[in-house]
Amino acid sequence: MQLEKFPSMFFKCSADGAWKMEYVSAGSEELTGYSPAELMEGRAISYRELIHPEDLGDVWAIIEGDIKNDLPYQVSYRIRSRTGEEKLVWEQGRGVSDAQNSLQSVEGFISHLDSGFAPQTIKQDALNEVIVASSRAQDLGSLLEGTLKHCLEIFKLTSGMIWVGNYFEALGLPRTQAHDAQRRLQTLVREDRKFRTVHDWLDEDSLNTLAPLSDTFDKLSVRASLIVPIRVEGKNIGGICLNNADLRQWTIEEISLAEAISSQLSGAAGRLDLLETIQEQAHLLQRILDTVQEGIFTLDVHNRILVVNRPAREFLNQLAGVGRGEILKQLGESSLRDILTPREDGLPHEVRSAGDDGRTFEVYPSPVIDVGEEKGNTILLRDVTEVRQAQHRVQEQIRRAAVGQLAAGIAHDFNNIVAAIILYGEMVLAMPELPSKGRKRMIMIIEQAQRAAALTRQILDFSRRGIMEPHPMELMPFLQEIVNLLKRTLPENIQVTLNHGEDDYVVSSDPARLQQVFMNLAVNARDAMPSGGELLFDISLVEFDSAINFSHDEIPDGKWVRIDITDTGRGIHADDLAHVFEPFFTTKLPGEGSGLGLAQVFGIVSQHEGYIEVNSELGEGTTFSVYFRSLPVAMLSGIIPEISEPAKGQMETILVVEDDLAMREALSEMLEMMNYQVLSANNGKAALDIFAEKPSIDLVLSDLVMPEMGGVALHSELKKKYPDTKMVVMTGYPLVEGGKDLLEQGIVAWLQKPLDADTLARTIREVLSMSK
């Protein structure tokens, strides 16, 4: 090492006041009479034993006080050399701490005050500054600039250059010309291991290999230079070039001091070069981590956050309100201990951020193991809010499908039973000799049967299996009728109003199903206002453009009719808002609601290809907003008004095709009472046999779903053989695909089971009155 040439004793020792030497330079022998080998580890004698006993206590007190305050120290005291000579020495140094800021050792140098390196000299002060700056520097640029300033002060010079790798600093020289000189100088001395002294750049004979640079330095007005390489692990990584404007003889002390500074720089440069490489790698790792959508962060053994990527910074702020460098104690409402404990089912933990709009995260902890010892944890946070919402929608669809499938399985037979009860009940009511008490009981039976049919209809509506008969209609007259009906039926302490503009509000809808929507919402509003309040219907036209407004991105672009139904009731709790359209979900007391009303509303609106949303605040009321696609007014033309009063039959022949015996007999009796001739068959095949014997049948009233041959196949055969035959189909939900096609194309009329006498009479008269 170059320190071996310096006429002082460089050392590194323990930080406990024992001066147990870990390193001693060759200058120890001249100073103390003991070789480095004898002083290190106290093999021959401890350096502490050389200090004069009268000075020992004060010396360590000064050193200890400065290093505890993280300051370099300077102190003079007496030592006794091997020969017994008493010497006054000057010591300066500093404490060295580890990454945890724990004091590990002391390093510095000790000089004999008679050697010319007294503490008062600027050389010693400057060297001390270089040592301290080297140990604390965090980047090469600032280290080189500071070192060059100190060197110029040491040697009382006005210009110089210093470089390490791609880092270059110059003082007192034009930077561009100095950089050019440095590049040429580095090329010539690349392999040099020793210093170079130039007393006169104009004396070419004395320059040897440096002669080609004489013109360059002459242009820089430099006559003398001291050039010292900076080497790391035997490789020349840079150098120091100190310049004088006049001729100069460089002394041994100056050369040794320059080499000592170079040696100090080489260690610092190596450390900083490694530091910059590590920092570059860390920056690269950080950039890579920041491109990952999941949050990733690491914890040390004390659960302090070390590395964190951009998404994790946001997630940690939401879940714990902490950031890098802070201690993590919990995520959401879960403690960190629970998070780091694997679940028994092997699935990730889930946490949720606070607030009504809180987000859901999956947590994947992974311990960091180093040589069999756990060193902390790496944790991945995945925002699964949208995934959970999608899963919820799929599960909701599955539930609806399951309930709908169940309803479909029982609807046909159940509605046949209910229809027979209603038809027979209406026939009994028509008997003039029926007693008053019997009449009341029969009315109750019919009403209960209709309630049972309505319950099935609700289930089919929210599962979107109900039959729709939409057509263009003007919504304003329809809503005015709804509002007038509600004014008559709702309690007097509820004020019902309708707000609207001057626009035309034309939509495609099934009026009966749409009436069910608004009546269900009105009943809910009534229940939310037990002490009275206001119920407002507000209709308007809105237009959505996803390129401009993202607030309703689930609704396609275009014009929509919006109906807001607002009450001033108690409102809906935020936790319940997400579930209000789920089947069987209700906030009412047992017996007060089935939980099917809003589910039915949602299903009917969806069947209309519309949208519904809800906004509510506790104590402030609730608004349901329903959206239907707006149609042009021209779509209203061609709508046929309903027949106002049903007419009796004129002894036309009707063939009833129904597999359920009770339903078939009830229909036959009812039609005979309406003045029709009735034939009956239990399926489509039997009906064709009857046609073969008596083809002059005026109308076929057929169920859709029957054994052997159903209504769709029967219609197909009749159109082939008897194309003028009129047909009305009955269905108890849901329609098979062929039946849907028939209805959607308007080929047949249809009746929904369970049916009543009035609906039956109207439909048959309407179909019979149509031209063939």
Side-chain angles (χ1 to χ4, degrees):
M1 295 178 61
Q2 300 294 347
L3 293 178
E4 306 298 335
K5 298 181 180 182
F6 200 74
S8 296
M9 185 180 90
F10 285 82
F11 70 91
K12 182 178 181 181
C13 69
S14 61
D16 53 5
W19 276 276
K20 185 177 181 180
M21 297 295 179
E22 299 173 14
Y23 166 76
V24 178
S25 69
S28 66
E29 194 154 3
E30 179 180 346
L31 182 68
T32 68
Y34 293 96
S35 68
E38 291 176 305
L39 287 178
M40 280 192 289
E41 301 295 334
R43 293 168 186 162
I45 189 171
S46 168
Y47 181 78
R48 177 187 174 91
E49 297 178 57
L50 299 180
I51 300 175
H52 197 287
E54 295 178 0
D55 298 343
L56 185 59
D58 293 338
V59 170
W60 178 247
I62 293 172
I63 295 174
E64 186 178 37
D66 284 344
I67 62 177
K68 281 187 176 180
N69 291 313
D70 197 25
L71 296 172
Y73 68 87
Q74 298 181 13
V75 63
S76 60
Y77 55 88
R78 294 167 292 171
I79 66 169
R80 288 176 177 158
S81 69
R82 189 168 201 162
T83 61
E85 179 186 2
E86 187 174 289
K87 294 183 177 181
L88 179 63
V89 299
W90 175 69
E91 178 179 335
Q92 70 170 10
R94 65 181 184 90
V96 180
S97 301
D98 60 14
Q100 283 72 40
N101 206 29
S102 175
L103 185 63
Q104 299 295 308
S105 60
V106 177
E107 64 181 22
F109 67 91
I110 305 168
S111 298
H112 185 195
L113 283 178
D114 293 338
S115 65
F117 288 90
Q120 294 82 9
T121 65
I122 192 172
K123 295 182 181 180
Q124 296 288 10
D125 291 340
L127 181 57
N128 181 61
E129 291 294 330
V130 171
I131 293 172
V132 173
S134 298
S135 65
R136 297 180 178 178
Q138 296 299 312
D139 65 89
L140 278 171
S142 60
L143 173 63
L144 297 185
E145 181 182 7
T147 300
L148 184 56
K149 287 181 180 178
H150 293 317
C151 289
L152 297 183
E153 291 177 2
I154 291 173
F155 297 100
K156 294 183 173 55
L157 301 173
T158 57
S159 72
M161 300 176 290
I162 188 170
W163 66 94
V164 169
N166 294 325
Y167 290 87
F168 170 76
E169 292 293 336
L171 292 173
L173 298 171
R175 185 171 181 85
T176 303
Q177 296 179 27
H179 206 171
D180 179 64
Q182 175 265 322
R183 286 194 296 266
R184 297 184 62 193
L185 185 62
Q186 176 71 359
T187 302
L188 290 175
V189 301
R190 188 180 302 278
E191 301 302 323
D192 281 8
R193 297 176 178 271
K194 301 185 300 180
F195 63 89
R196 295 283 188 131
T197 58
V198 178
H199 306 295
D200 185 0
W201 280 106
L202 299 182
D203 184 5
E204 296 185 8
D205 293 338
S206 64
L207 296 179
N208 300 320
T209 58
L210 296 180
L213 279 168
S214 59
D215 290 341
T216 300
F217 278 88
D218 184 40
K219 292 176 181 178
L220 292 172
S221 300
V222 171
R223 288 293 295 274
S225 297
L226 173 59
I227 304 161
V228 182
I230 300 173
R231 302 182 65 78
V232 173
E233 296 181 355
K235 182 180 179 181
N236 189 337
I237 65 167
I240 305 171
C241 180
L242 304 175
N243 303 314
N244 197 53
D246 301 317
L247 298 175
R248 180 165 180 148
Q249 294 291 332
W250 303 97
T251 67
I252 293 297
E253 290 80 6
E254 290 173 331
I255 295 170
S256 297
L257 183 56
E259 288 191 309
I261 293 172
S262 169
S263 177
Q264 186 67 35
L265 273 179
S266 66
R271 177 177 64 83
L272 292 175
D273 186 56
L274 177 60
L275 175 63
E276 290 192 359
T277 300
I278 293 172
Q279 289 174 337
E280 288 178 3
Q281 292 173 345
H283 292 157
L284 176 60
L285 175 61
Q286 189 69 54
R287 288 196 297 271
I288 293 172
L289 290 177
D290 285 343
T291 62
V292 179
Q293 293 183 350
E294 287 82 5
I296 300 174
F297 64 95
T298 60
L299 302 175
D300 64 13
V301 292
H302 303 295
N303 297 327
R304 187 182 304 278
I305 301 170
L306 300 178
V307 177
V308 55
N309 71 343
R310 185 178 294 107
R313 287 195 290 273
E314 177 185 346
F315 297 164
L316 284 171
N317 183 57
Q318 294 178 25
L319 293 168
V322 296
R324 183 164 56 187
E326 298 182 80
I327 300 293
L328 181 65
K329 297 181 179 179
Q330 66 182 53
L331 286 173
E333 296 183 355
S334 301
S335 69
L336 186 61
R337 179 188 295 272
D338 292 339
I339 292 295
L340 298 179
T341 303
R343 286 176 41 162
E344 293 182 0
D345 56 12
L347 296 175
H349 290 280
E350 283 196 6
V351 295
R352 184 174 174 83
S353 59
D356 295 339
D357 57 347
R359 303 189 68 78
T360 303
F361 299 87
E362 287 182 347
V363 187
Y364 298 83
S366 179
V368 178
I369 306 297
D370 185 13
V371 195
E373 182 180 356
E374 188 169 326
K375 295 294 186 180
N377 287 273
T378 297
I379 296 179
L380 182 144
L381 286 174
R382 176 173 290 136
D383 188 341
V384 294
T385 306
E386 283 74 22
V387 174
R388 291 292 175 270
Q389 290 172 349
Q391 290 173 342
H392 176 77
R393 288 193 294 269
V394 171
Q395 291 169 355
E396 179 64 23
Q397 290 171 357
I398 292 173
R399 285 197 296 269
R400 290 178 185 276
V403 176
Q405 193 170 18
L406 174 64
I410 66 173
H412 180 267
D413 292 338
F414 182 76
N415 283 328
N416 277 339
I417 296 170
V418 174
I421 293 172
I422 292 173
L423 289 174
Y424 276 119
E426 289 181 335
M427 283 188 278
V428 172
L429 282 177
M431 297 171 61
E433 67 274 16
L434 184 67
S436 174
K437 183 174 289 188
R439 180 176 299 277
K440 290 181 180 179
R441 290 171 177 170
M442 188 55 60
I443 290 173
M444 179 64 69
I445 290 173
I446 294 172
E447 287 178 350
Q448 293 304 308
Q450 289 172 336
R451 284 186 63 190
L455 181 62
T456 306
R457 188 178 303 116
Q458 278 185 310
I459 296 173
L460 289 165
D461 279 337
F462 79 71
S463 63
R464 306 181 200 178
R465 290 172 175 255
I467 295 177
M468 301 294 297
E469 194 177 22
H471 58 75
M473 63 174 283
E474 171 60 56
L475 208 52
M476 269 305 304
F478 177 81
L479 278 178
Q480 287 171 339
E481 288 297 324
I482 294 287
V483 169
N484 291 336
L485 175 62
L486 292 173
K487 287 180 178 179
R488 294 192 299 269
T489 56
L490 291 182
E492 293 182 357
N493 59 359
I494 296 178
Q495 180 181 354
V496 186
T497 55
L498 172 63
N499 287 345
H500 60 88
E502 299 299 325
D503 296 304
D504 295 308
Y505 307 105
V506 181
V507 298
S508 177
S509 73
D510 182 326
R513 319 307 303 137
L514 204 56
Q515 180 179 8
Q516 190 72 54
V517 168
F518 296 121
M519 293 303 293
N520 281 6
L521 292 175
V523 168
N524 272 8
R526 177 203 66 192
D527 295 341
M529 298 184 291
S531 302
E534 297 180 8
L535 177 59
L536 172 64
F537 286 77
D538 186 280
I539 183 170
S540 60
L541 280 179
V542 294
E543 186 166 0
F544 295 119
D545 186 347
S546 58
I548 300 174
N549 188 346
F550 297 95
S551 60
H552 293 79
D553 55 357
E554 75 280 5
I555 302 180
D557 293 350
K559 289 185 178 180
W560 294 79
V561 176
R562 170 174 170 166
I563 308 99
D564 290 332
I565 302 93
T566 302
D567 65 61
T568 57
R570 52 184 170 234
I572 304 172
H573 194 281
D575 294 339
D576 296 332
L577 276 178
H579 307 287
V580 294
F581 297 118
E582 294 179 3
F584 309 113
F585 177 84
T586 180
T587 58
K588 298 177 181 178
L589 295 175
E592 294 184 0
S594 64
L596 289 175
L598 289 179
Q600 183 184 28
V601 166
F602 184 88
I604 294 173
V605 171
S606 297
Q607 281 187 289
H608 280 82
E609 297 182 353
Y611 298 86
I612 184 170
E613 60 187 18
V614 57
N615 291 284
S616 183
E617 290 187 21
L618 286 177
E620 298 295 330
T622 301
T623 298
F624 285 90
S625 299
V626 184
Y627 298 86
F628 296 113
R629 179 73 77 174
S630 175
L631 299 179
V633 179
M635 297 287 287
L636 291 172
S637 61
I639 298 176
I640 302 174
E642 295 181 359
I643 300 173
S644 57
E645 291 292 336
K648 288 280 186 178
Q650 300 175 13
M651 295 303 293
E652 294 97 332
T653 301
I654 297 177
L655 173 59
V656 176
V657 188
E658 169 64 62
D659 61 313
D660 186 87
L661 177 61
M663 182 65 179
R664 186 168 65 248
E665 291 180 349
L667 285 169
S668 298
E669 283 192 53
M670 181 62 75
L671 290 171
E672 287 173 352
M673 291 176 62
M674 294 176 181
N675 200 35
Y676 293 105
Q677 299 183 64
V678 181
L679 302 173
S680 65
N682 61 357
N683 59 53
K685 186 175 181 182
L688 290 176
D689 293 340
I690 292 175
F691 258 93
E693 297 177 3
K694 189 175 181 179
S696 58
I697 295 174
D698 297 292
L699 183 140
V700 176
L701 176 62
S702 175
D703 191 15
L704 274 181
V705 181
M706 295 177 292
E708 294 194 52
M709 179 180 286
V712 175
L714 174 60
H715 177 271
S716 178
E717 291 298 318
L718 290 176
K719 285 303 175 184
K720 291 178 184 176
K721 299 176 180 179
Y722 312 100
D724 295 332
T725 302
K726 298 177 180 179
M727 189 170 181
V728 175
V729 296
M730 301 174 293
T731 179
Y733 294 148
L735 285 175
V736 296
E737 290 302 319
K740 287 182 181 179
D741 294 340
L742 294 178
L743 298 188
E744 289 174 359
Q745 296 171 25
I747 296 174
V748 297
W750 66 278
L751 287 169
Q752 174 185 321
K753 293 181 181 179
L755 46 85
D756 55 44
D758 184 64
T759 303
L760 178 64
R762 287 176 181 275
T763 303
I764 289 178
R765 283 301 338 142
E766 185 176 341
V767 174
L768 286 174
S769 64
M770 292 180 180
S771 60
K772 294 184 180 180

